[in-house]
Amino acid sequence: MSRPVILAVDDDPQVLAAVTRDLRARYAEGYQMIAADSGAAALEAVHEISERGRTISLFLVDQRMPSMSGTEFLLEAQKVFPEAKRLLLTAYADTEAAIQAINAVGLDQYLIKPWTPPDEKLYPILDDALDDWQANAVKPFEGARVFGTTWSPTTYEIKAFLARNEVPYLFIDIDNDEEGATTAAEAAGGSTELPIVLLEDNTVFINPDKSVLAEAVGIHTVPAFPFYDLIVVGGGPAGLAASVYGASEGLSTVMIEREAPGGQAGTSNRIENYLGFPKGISGADLARRAIAQATRLGAEIITAAEVDKVEVAGPLKTVHLTDGSELTCRALIIASGMTVRRLHIPGYERFEGAGIYYGAAATEAATYRDKHVYVIGGANSAGQAAVMFSRTSSKVTLVVRSGDLGEKMSAYLVDQIGAIENIEVLTSRSVVEVTGADRVESIRLEDLDSGAYETREASALFIFVGAVPHSDFLGDAVEQNEKGFIYTGPDVRSFTDTWPLDRDPLPLETSVPGVFAAGDVREGAVRRVASAVGEGSIAVSFVHRYLDTV
Ligand SMILES: Cc1cc2nc3c(=O)[nH]c(=O)nc-3n(C[C@H](O)[C@H](O)[C@H](O)COP(=O)(O)OP(=O)(O)OC[C@H]3O[C@@H](n4cnc5c(N)ncnc54)[C@H](O)[C@@H]3O)c2cc1C
């Protein structure tokens, strides 16, 4: 198979020669380098490469070129190769143009000339971009075939599980593929359950348990040891961060994740507010990077293994898995997160992170300054968000299903909302559709009393229709609030009387010494990727402080 292309474009022959030389020095084995000395010549090359059925992985383009700027070239080139990574070469004076290009052409990065030494200033950025490109490039089909139907929930679950764990598979819709239906029926041997998974060696799984399938496709599902310094439950941003810090600070660390590393964030198309990713990053990319980092630093990552119970005996904590196995540790971090309730309406998933948000954070308030935003939900959290957005947005519409705002919201908040001029309250309304090109542009509302529909312009929807913490497996091992969110730090003493020691609980420490909670599962958490990462990271320093005491 021919190598993917890296296309370098610069009108200065010396710079073009230098950049091509540096690119060849590192990437010649996996990529073909093509150089063009103008935007027009580069566009010709783009079309030729496309006509030959080949692919471009990365554009590295000078911004300041006569007749066609780097940004103008990228606008055209991305129509042909939308997946290719886009990097601009700029002079220091042009950084403003490069930052503008992040939005205009979805620029991935910009590099300031000169890029010497390339080991420091060029290769790390290109390695990163090419790793992302590789991870998202269509993967060669390597064996697993999933036979099912588009509307079968169990088929969807297995497909999602394989995709989130980056296992390549081929889906065969047996409703629309006769030959596939016959193969599936033969493999199923009379069973009507879906999906049927056929591996390359012809092993058949019928609606398989995820851990069984995981083991069969080579996902690490069994811990290597019975005892660790630190066990982390949950592989979302908090758990991944805790694993990175635990392992890097010398603790033998294992992370146990029941589905796929990445957690809620892993399902997000684009996280726009996480520091260091000016163009935003998909949850899947963020998770992939974090897994690589945690593994490189020595953390063990176990997937498709679910924690069923936690037992504490003095300084030792034992974690029981649903397959009946158990492992023990000196310190435990619970980072099992939560599930937000979603609206099941057309357009919803497409705009998650691009106009549809869960919860509210001040960062998004800034993004939607002077715009009209919608807050969906009728409980206090929705009311508080409406008040917060009313300070910065031009208008806030609170959409509530019930006929009375006071049904689920505290009276003081109902009064406060009533007194704020730019908050509009729509009761007995339900959002039934969200539309737009690449971000939310309008929503369709149903009047639940009259059955009438109305379409309105909208730039953002903030969803507050409930959340369920993943803390059932803890039983009453650690103290939680009435909804199951875990008390930590000072809250343990404020809301419970079970703390057993003279010292105060450490920050993030639960009602059981040596058991910590981080991220969304914690009562009072700011439900954001950055705060989950922050809590997972700092939890490890409190683990050290705890270990010093036992
Ligand atoms: C669609 C979507 C988009 C979002 N977009 C943004 C955004 O753009 N910016 C932003 O800042 N925030 C965003 N958020 C919020 C953000 O993703 C969360 O705040 C963050 O993921 C919380 O991280 P966490 O590690 O605490 O928990 P989670 O991400 O919930 O991860 C917890 C993990 O624990 C695992 N687990 C649970 N129970 C067990 C068990 N018993 N055994 C083993 N494993 C278990 C789960 O499978 C899960 O993988 C978004 C959330 C969603 C749902």
Side-chain angles (χ1 to χ4, degrees):
M1 227 171 79
S2 50
R3 289 165 299 164
V5 169
I6 296 179
L7 180 57
V9 193
D10 202 307
D11 64 312
D12 180 330
Q14 274 181 341
V15 177
L16 189 60
V19 81
T20 318
R21 179 202 60 217
D22 285 345
L23 289 172
R24 281 213 180 96
R26 184 160 179 110
Y27 302 108
E29 206 177 304
Y31 299 87
Q32 185 190 350
M33 254 48 72
I34 294 184
D37 59 7
S38 70
L43 274 183
E44 241 175 69
V46 165
H47 290 293
E48 208 182 300
I49 290 164
S50 160
E51 276 156 25
R52 288 192 188 162
R54 299 187 55 196
T55 186
I56 297 185
S57 55
L58 186 142
F59 297 110
L60 182 57
V61 190
D62 185 28
Q63 167 62 6
R64 196 176 284 197
M65 294 187 292
S67 70
M68 187 187 285
S69 72
T71 321
E72 285 165 344
F73 163 75
L74 286 173
L75 262 179
E76 290 306 309
Q78 68 175 357
K79 292 180 189 158
V80 188
F81 290 105
E83 307 299 336
K85 295 286 159 187
R86 293 154 225 163
L87 278 74
L88 269 188
L89 267 175
T90 61
Y92 187 74
D94 289 334
T95 47
E96 188 58 37
I99 290 168
Q100 307 255 328
I102 292 173
N103 281 336
V105 297
L107 192 71
D108 289 282
Q109 269 289 3
Y110 62 90
L111 291 142
I112 296 180
K113 294 188 239 179
W115 57 87
T116 47
D119 278 335
E120 271 171 40
K121 295 192 175 159
L122 181 69
Y123 298 147
I125 294 172
L126 262 64
D127 284 356
D128 227 29
L130 290 169
D131 278 356
D132 275 354
W133 183 82
Q134 287 284 1
N136 293 310
V138 178
K139 298 202 172 56
F141 167 57
E142 271 173 13
R145 279 180 292 165
V146 179
F147 297 84
T149 64
T150 312
W151 307 113
S152 142
T154 44
T155 304
Y156 172 80
E157 260 195 43
I158 291 294
K159 279 165 57 191
F161 176 74
L162 292 173
R164 290 193 61 199
N165 281 290
E166 304 213 330
V167 178
Y169 68 89
L170 187 70
F171 170 58
I172 295 123
D173 182 352
I174 56 171
D175 279 346
N176 292 311
D177 184 330
E178 235 174 79
E179 202 185 320
T182 313
T183 313
E186 279 166 12
S191 167
T192 52
E193 275 191 80
L194 290 178
I196 291 134
V197 183
L198 254 179
L199 299 190
E200 205 175 15
D201 62 3
N202 282 331
T203 322
V204 181
F205 293 97
I206 300 172
N207 189 15
D209 185 78
K210 285 179 201 147
S211 57
V212 174
L213 183 62
E215 197 68 59
V217 295
I219 297 172
H220 194 32
T221 59
V222 182
F225 305 103
F227 185 85
Y228 293 84
D229 291 329
L230 173 65
I231 296 177
V232 180
V233 182
L240 285 163
S243 306
V244 165
Y245 277 78
S248 71
E249 291 176 14
L251 300 173
S252 61
T253 302
V254 64
M255 187 193 91
I256 299 172
E257 165 56 48
R258 68 178 174 194
E259 181 75 11
Q264 296 167 70
T267 66
S268 170
N269 296 336
R270 191 153 56 145
I271 299 161
E272 295 213 49
N273 54 2
Y274 189 56
L275 187 72
F277 296 92
K279 184 196 170 188
I281 181 166
S282 78
D285 280 345
L286 190 63
R288 189 173 45 73
R289 285 161 179 254
I291 296 163
Q293 195 175 10
T295 313
R296 180 176 66 80
L297 292 167
E300 208 183 312
I301 295 193
I302 306 296
T303 306
E306 182 167 0
V307 175
D308 191 28
K309 198 167 110 186
V310 167
E311 267 178 333
V312 180
L316 295 182
K317 291 96 195 158
T318 301
V319 165
H320 298 260
L321 305 184
T322 45
D323 67 359
S325 62
E326 58 180 58
L327 51 165
T328 303
C329 60
R330 297 164 71 206
L332 180 64
I333 296 180
I334 312 287
S336 46
M338 63 174 202
T339 301
V340 286
R341 293 209 181 93
R342 291 176 168 184
L343 300 178
H344 296 286
I345 54 169
Y348 194 72
E349 278 178 18
R350 194 153 72 87
F351 296 116
E352 279 174 351
I356 292 186
Y357 304 94
Y358 297 93
T363 41
E364 273 115 33
T367 309
Y368 292 99
R369 179 178 291 279
D370 299 329
K371 300 226 166 85
H372 182 174
V373 303
Y374 284 75
V375 174
I376 318 297
N380 278 359
S381 52
Q384 281 152 0
V387 172
M388 181 186 93
F389 285 119
S390 72
R391 297 189 192 116
T392 45
S393 297
S394 58
K395 184 172 174 186
V396 180
T397 300
L398 183 59
V399 181
V400 185
R401 280 185 71 89
S402 80
D404 173 12
L405 188 58
E407 196 175 302
K408 284 201 200 145
M409 201 177 287
S410 304
Y412 83 91
L413 209 48
V414 176
D415 291 346
Q416 199 179 348
I417 287 170
I420 299 176
E421 261 182 28
N422 64 340
I423 301 185
E424 169 193 34
V425 178
L426 297 178
T427 52
S428 304
R429 298 295 208 297
S430 174
V431 184
V432 291
E433 192 177 0
V434 186
T435 48
D438 56 356
R439 19 188 71 245
V440 171
E441 284 166 18
S442 63
I443 61 170
R444 200 161 140 81
L445 296 167
E446 181 184 358
D447 184 324
L448 299 172
D449 292 334
S450 68
Y453 292 93
E454 179 192 7
T455 301
R456 290 176 157 221
E457 271 184 29
S459 53
L461 272 70
F462 294 89
I463 314 292
F464 292 84
V465 291
V468 184
H470 302 146
S471 56
D472 280 0
F473 66 93
L474 289 166
D476 53 11
V478 302
E479 297 281 350
Q480 303 146 36
N481 73 7
E482 69 293 348
K483 290 188 179 149
F485 290 100
I486 301 171
Y487 289 125
T488 54
D491 284 356
V492 170
R493 281 206 151 145
S494 305
F495 296 108
T496 77
D497 52 10
T498 53
W499 179 248
L501 304 180
D502 288 339
R503 69 166 172 87
D504 281 336
L506 293 162
L508 304 182
E509 196 169 24
T510 68
S511 57
V512 176
V515 178
F516 297 81
D520 281 11
V521 74
R522 202 177 63 76
E523 159 62 16
V526 174
R527 295 167 188 172
R528 282 290 173 271
V529 174
S531 37
V533 168
E535 289 188 10
S537 316
I538 59 168
V540 172
S541 55
F542 301 123
V543 163
H544 286 295
R545 293 228 322 243
Y546 160 76
L547 291 176
D548 286 344
T549 69
V550 287

